[in-house]
Amino acid sequence: MKSILAFVSLACAVAAIPAQSPLLVNEPIDADFHVDGFDIDLSSRRLVQMEGQPPVWMTELDKIETKAQGLKFFDITDAPDLGSSARLRVQQSFPTPNATEQVKGVLKTLSTDGPIENLEKFSSFRTRYYRSDTGRQSQQWLASKISKITEASAPESLQNLITQTEFSHSWGQNSIIVRINGSAPVDEGIVIISAHQDSTNMWPFLPAPGADDDGSGTVTILEAYRALITSDFRPVQHVEFHWYSAEEGGLLGSQAVAKDYEARSANVIAQSQFDMTAWVKRGTKEEVGIITDYVDSGLTDFNKKLVDSYLEIPYVETKCGYACSDHASWGKAGYPSSFTIESTFENSNKNIHSANDRIDVSDEFSFTHMLEFSKLAVAFAIELGGWTKSD
Ligand code: BES
Ligand code: ZN
């Protein structure tokens, strides 16, 4: 405890933010400073890029402080050249939704039961911060949950088409990739549905249940995956579900994955990010927020058509105003990316990055709202992945 207080005190001093508690004691800066359960070398150097500015080197401590001040950035240390081969790729176009029967069949099997149970557990880790012990434990729990769902829900012959891998990162919490192999060769295309699994408090050592950001997206796409495999979904294209690590560290996990796909010249035809899907602000009507900046406009229009065709609620266009989630890594790599959120940016959950990002904080946290996003993920997978005729 003393060490946590010392860190907060240290960070407040550096940030010139007045320390909130009289209990805080200033202690000298120590490069080997460590907090139990966290593996952070505060003096290590990171290459950080803020909107419209050249990248700058700063220490990990300065990076934490920069985030706490509300500044937005990509940490490009490990993927400075992401997108350098993008110009070699051809522009994609997207179909008009037409797999109505198959999509509606799967939508009927969606339920809030799994999301409720899974999110109660997932948001009970003290934090899912990517450099913390509990962040690693939450990732292991998620990986084992996904494999149990595959075993329990996918018919045996479909199980042979499914692979689950951990994409390793140096910081310990790995990204998770599940692929349903398509009948077509992989170079014909990969469809990606994603969320970020990590959470953070404004000060990373403090509790971060991350129920909405992004526990909600995590269980939203897991429910879509469960429903699809329960219905023996056999795609033509390869359909993948990604749960990224370290989004809160500056899109680190998704940049590493996108860099790997780019290096292998993978043909990603579409990526759809789900980050915050649960909040319906009191006094507002339920809507799907469709982000229109830092996205592919054709794919975004396609998402609008899916909402009109398959959801119970309308969409509303909105903007983050910055590269606010993992879709931006795919966009930077030159792949068509899209992002849908719980509401307009303005009406979204203001408890994120705090100990109050909990399910039980308010009745504005809605599992039925979340389920609309599982519908969108199911429709995205079927309409873009295709469904092979069953024999
Ligand atoms: N989920 C948030 C982004 C967000 C916030 C979307 C509010 C919609 C409404 C995301 O996890 C996040 O916190 N992003 C960072 C930026 C990122 C590049 C580190 C942020 O907004 O500070
Ligand atoms: Zn966040």
Side-chain angles (χ1 to χ4, degrees):
M1 189 60 191
K2 182 168 171 285
S3 55
I4 294 177
L5 291 179
F7 171 79
V8 175
S9 170
L10 156 71
C12 288
V14 173
I17 296 168
Q20 296 287 305
S21 158
L23 286 174
L24 300 180
V25 259
N26 281 305
E27 292 192 0
I29 295 181
D30 171 0
D32 294 328
F33 189 94
H34 277 294
V35 176
D36 282 352
F38 291 80
D39 179 13
I40 309 182
D41 175 0
L42 293 170
S43 63
S44 73
R45 299 185 72 73
R46 309 293 309 177
L47 187 58
V48 166
Q49 182 157 37
M50 287 175 234
E51 193 54 43
Q53 290 179 26
V56 285
W57 287 98
M58 60 172 72
T59 64
E60 182 74 48
L61 177 59
D62 284 339
K63 187 183 128 180
I64 290 171
E65 189 241 312
T66 301
K67 176 146 171 133
Q69 284 181 342
L71 294 171
K72 318 294 184 192
F73 56 78
F74 259 93
D75 178 337
I76 62 167
T77 316
D78 302 326
D81 301 325
L82 186 62
S84 47
S85 72
R87 72 202 142 65
L88 303 173
R89 270 170 253 137
V90 281
Q91 186 88 31
Q92 307 280 346
S93 63
F94 301 95
T96 301
N98 64 1
T100 315
E101 215 175 293
Q102 282 120 326
V103 173
K104 290 200 168 160
V106 178
L107 296 190
K108 277 195 226 131
T109 71
L110 289 171
S111 158
T112 54
D113 295 350
I116 292 173
E117 194 187 316
N118 295 334
L119 192 53
E120 275 172 358
K121 173 69 186 176
F122 203 52
S123 59
S124 74
F125 291 90
R126 182 178 179 277
T127 177
R128 301 191 304 275
Y129 188 62
Y130 66 108
R131 290 186 185 279
S132 69
D133 288 349
T134 50
R136 198 181 330 238
Q137 288 154 18
S138 63
Q139 182 252 297
Q140 284 159 354
W141 177 83
L142 179 60
S144 116
K145 184 74 205 179
I146 299 166
S147 42
K148 281 184 197 145
I149 287 177
T150 306
E151 269 168 49
S153 312
E156 217 166 287
S157 55
L158 178 60
Q159 287 189 31
N160 300 330
L161 297 177
I162 298 176
T163 58
Q164 180 175 335
T165 51
E166 286 196 14
F167 189 102
S168 291
H169 301 294
S170 57
W171 49 85
Q173 181 194 64
N174 296 331
S175 296
I176 301 172
I177 296 180
V178 171
R179 168 189 278 189
I180 311 175
N181 274 285
S183 57
V186 63
D187 39 299
E188 282 191 22
I190 302 169
V191 175
I192 298 173
I193 292 166
S194 55
H196 73 89
Q197 57 171 291
D198 63 312
S199 69
T200 193
N201 193 302
M202 190 174 88
W203 296 109
F205 306 109
L206 299 179
D212 197 10
D213 187 12
D214 184 23
S216 61
T218 297
V219 304
T220 292
I221 69 167
L222 185 55
E223 175 60 12
Y225 171 67
R226 187 201 62 75
L228 285 162
I229 61 174
T230 302
S231 298
D232 202 13
F233 173 49
R234 309 279 177 129
V236 177
Q237 316 293 359
H238 290 53
V239 174
E240 298 186 351
F241 290 81
H242 294 188
W243 287 270
Y244 301 119
S245 169
E247 186 267 357
E248 303 287 6
L251 315 180
L252 292 171
S254 56
Q255 284 185 83
V257 174
K259 177 180 155 178
D260 177 66
Y261 281 51
E262 183 182 13
R264 293 190 284 109
S265 303
N267 181 16
V268 175
I269 52 178
Q271 180 263 347
S272 177
Q273 175 76 356
F274 291 83
D275 183 0
M276 301 172 64
T277 60
W279 196 255
V280 184
K281 187 181 171 176
R282 195 160 299 120
T284 66
K285 66 176 173 92
E286 273 191 69
E287 289 167 332
V288 169
I290 299 212
I291 297 284
T292 58
D293 57 348
Y294 300 90
V295 293
D296 180 273
S297 60
L299 188 58
T300 299
D301 285 345
F302 176 75
N303 261 333
K304 291 178 192 167
K305 290 182 194 157
L306 294 180
V307 173
D308 283 342
S309 306
Y310 297 118
L311 272 59
E312 305 296 321
I313 57 177
Y315 69 80
V316 57
E317 292 188 7
T318 187
K319 287 183 172 138
C320 272
Y322 58 99
C324 62
S325 193
D326 296 306
H327 61 291
S329 300
W330 292 98
K332 189 175 179 195
Y335 293 115
S337 70
S338 61
F339 180 24
T340 45
I341 62 168
E342 58 204 12
S343 62
T344 58
F345 186 76
E346 294 70 31
N347 289 339
S348 66
N349 191 342
K350 299 297 176 252
N351 297 307
I352 65 167
H353 304 172
S354 86
N356 279 335
D357 185 3
R358 301 193 322 264
I359 297 171
D360 61 0
V361 72
S362 146
D363 59 9
E364 292 158 290
F365 199 104
S366 165
F367 282 93
T368 49
H369 189 53
M370 260 167 69
L371 212 60
E372 293 297 310
F373 290 82
S374 298
K375 292 180 188 172
L376 186 57
V378 163
F380 193 89
I382 298 174
E383 292 285 0
L384 289 178
W387 194 319
T388 59
K389 303 272 169 288
S390 46
D391 32 35

